[in-house]
Amino acid sequence: MDRSSVFHVIAAVYHFYALIYPYYHGLNMNHAKGFGGRLKFLTIWGHLLQVGYYIFAALVDVYNQCRGSPCSKLKQARDWWFSTLVFPITFLVFILFWGLFAYDRELVMPKRLDAEIDPLFNHMVHTFIIFWALTEPLVTEITIPKKRQGLLAIAFFGVSYTVWSYIIFLNIGKWVYPILNILSDVQRVLFILVAYVLIVCLFFSTRAYQKKFGRAHVVAAKKTH
């Protein structure tokens, strides 16, 4: 196994463990009960993308090793998944959560939730996730997909979560995140639009990071010299 394969296995185990952490350790997460469950939160949407990606990447590695040669279609799907969704959404979750937390934690994770959310679990799903996202392009040769396809996917993801959030609001009578409950309708729309702009910026940042530091481009540069 090369370093990319080893990384994918470790990352898959880590993210899966983080996903089941509340159940395994018996956390009393009352805030995640009721309509929508844990799927109410953007963090979990992002984490499911991460879990799915690293498990898929590990399986692709195993398949390619058994096959004796890489499968271009599987590689294309893997690269698209990471570059379009995993990296941008990971950093969106990190920036929004810790940005709001630093300004006023009551806007995103009220202090009362400290009794329900283990500090380690909090960092596992909001902090440590950027290590995996930043490291993946360094150890795996990822081809950057077309911008148009990526932007359409990002737009679909953003609109889907926004619609889902509104459905939850209609069912429980309040927004999932405290900040949305204190904003006026106009302010709420502006906040969501800013989040959309941020995720587009992160999409382009992903491409820039991979072009500068990504293994695929480093290998290609070496071959030209």
Side-chain angles (χ1 to χ4, degrees):
M1 295 178 70
D2 60 14
R3 61 179 181 177
S4 176
S5 301
V6 172
F7 179 79
H8 289 152
V9 171
I10 296 174
V13 171
Y14 169 87
H15 285 83
F16 183 75
Y17 175 65
L19 184 66
I20 66 172
Y21 186 98
Y23 307 109
Y24 184 77
H25 292 277
L27 299 188
N28 183 27
M29 300 179 67
N30 291 320
H31 69 288
K33 296 178 181 179
F35 184 83
R38 293 175 67 191
L39 286 175
K40 290 194 291 281
F41 306 104
L42 178 63
T43 297
I44 298 302
W45 279 48
H47 199 70
L48 288 174
L49 284 175
Q50 295 154 14
V51 172
Y53 170 76
Y54 289 111
I55 291 176
F56 177 72
L59 292 175
V60 169
D61 293 336
V62 172
Y63 176 78
N64 288 338
Q65 289 176 13
C66 293
R67 187 170 183 257
S69 61
C71 175
S72 60
K73 289 185 178 180
L74 288 177
K75 181 183 183 304
Q76 183 179 15
R78 183 201 66 190
D79 295 353
W80 181 90
W81 191 341
F82 179 81
S83 299
T84 302
L85 294 173
V86 174
F87 193 104
I89 301 303
T90 295
F91 272 82
L92 179 70
V93 169
F94 174 81
I95 292 172
L96 287 180
F97 180 84
W98 289 114
L100 290 171
F101 192 97
Y103 178 74
D104 181 358
R105 66 168 299 175
E106 296 299 316
L107 298 176
V108 62
M109 193 181 100
K111 192 171 181 60
R112 60 180 174 77
L113 294 182
D114 286 349
E116 299 181 18
I117 301 177
D118 187 314
L120 176 59
F121 174 66
N122 185 32
H123 284 295
M124 288 180 74
V125 296
H126 290 126
T127 309
F128 305 151
I129 51 175
I130 62 171
F131 163 77
W132 304 98
L134 288 172
T135 305
E136 171 66 348
L138 306 182
V139 299
T140 305
E141 292 186 27
I142 297 178
T143 303
I144 301 174
K146 295 180 180 179
K147 285 187 287 188
R148 183 180 179 183
Q149 296 176 346
L151 289 172
L152 286 174
I154 282 292
F156 179 77
F157 179 92
V159 171
S160 296
Y161 183 74
T162 302
V163 171
W164 173 237
S165 296
Y166 188 63
I167 291 174
I168 293 172
F169 171 76
L170 293 176
N171 278 270
I172 67 176
K174 63 179 181 179
W175 297 95
V176 172
Y177 292 103
I179 185 174
L180 297 177
N181 290 307
I182 65 173
L183 296 177
S184 66
D185 291 339
V186 174
Q187 291 172 330
R188 193 177 300 114
V189 170
L190 288 175
F191 179 83
I192 293 173
L193 289 177
V194 169
Y196 284 172
V197 172
L198 177 59
I199 195 173
V200 170
C201 291
L202 289 170
F203 171 77
F204 285 106
S205 297
T206 302
R207 301 172 69 86
Y209 177 77
Q210 290 181 231
K211 287 180 179 179
K212 181 68 175 179
F213 304 106
R215 184 181 176 191
H217 293 276
V218 171
V219 170
K222 288 182 178 179
K223 289 181 178 179
T224 59
H225 288 81

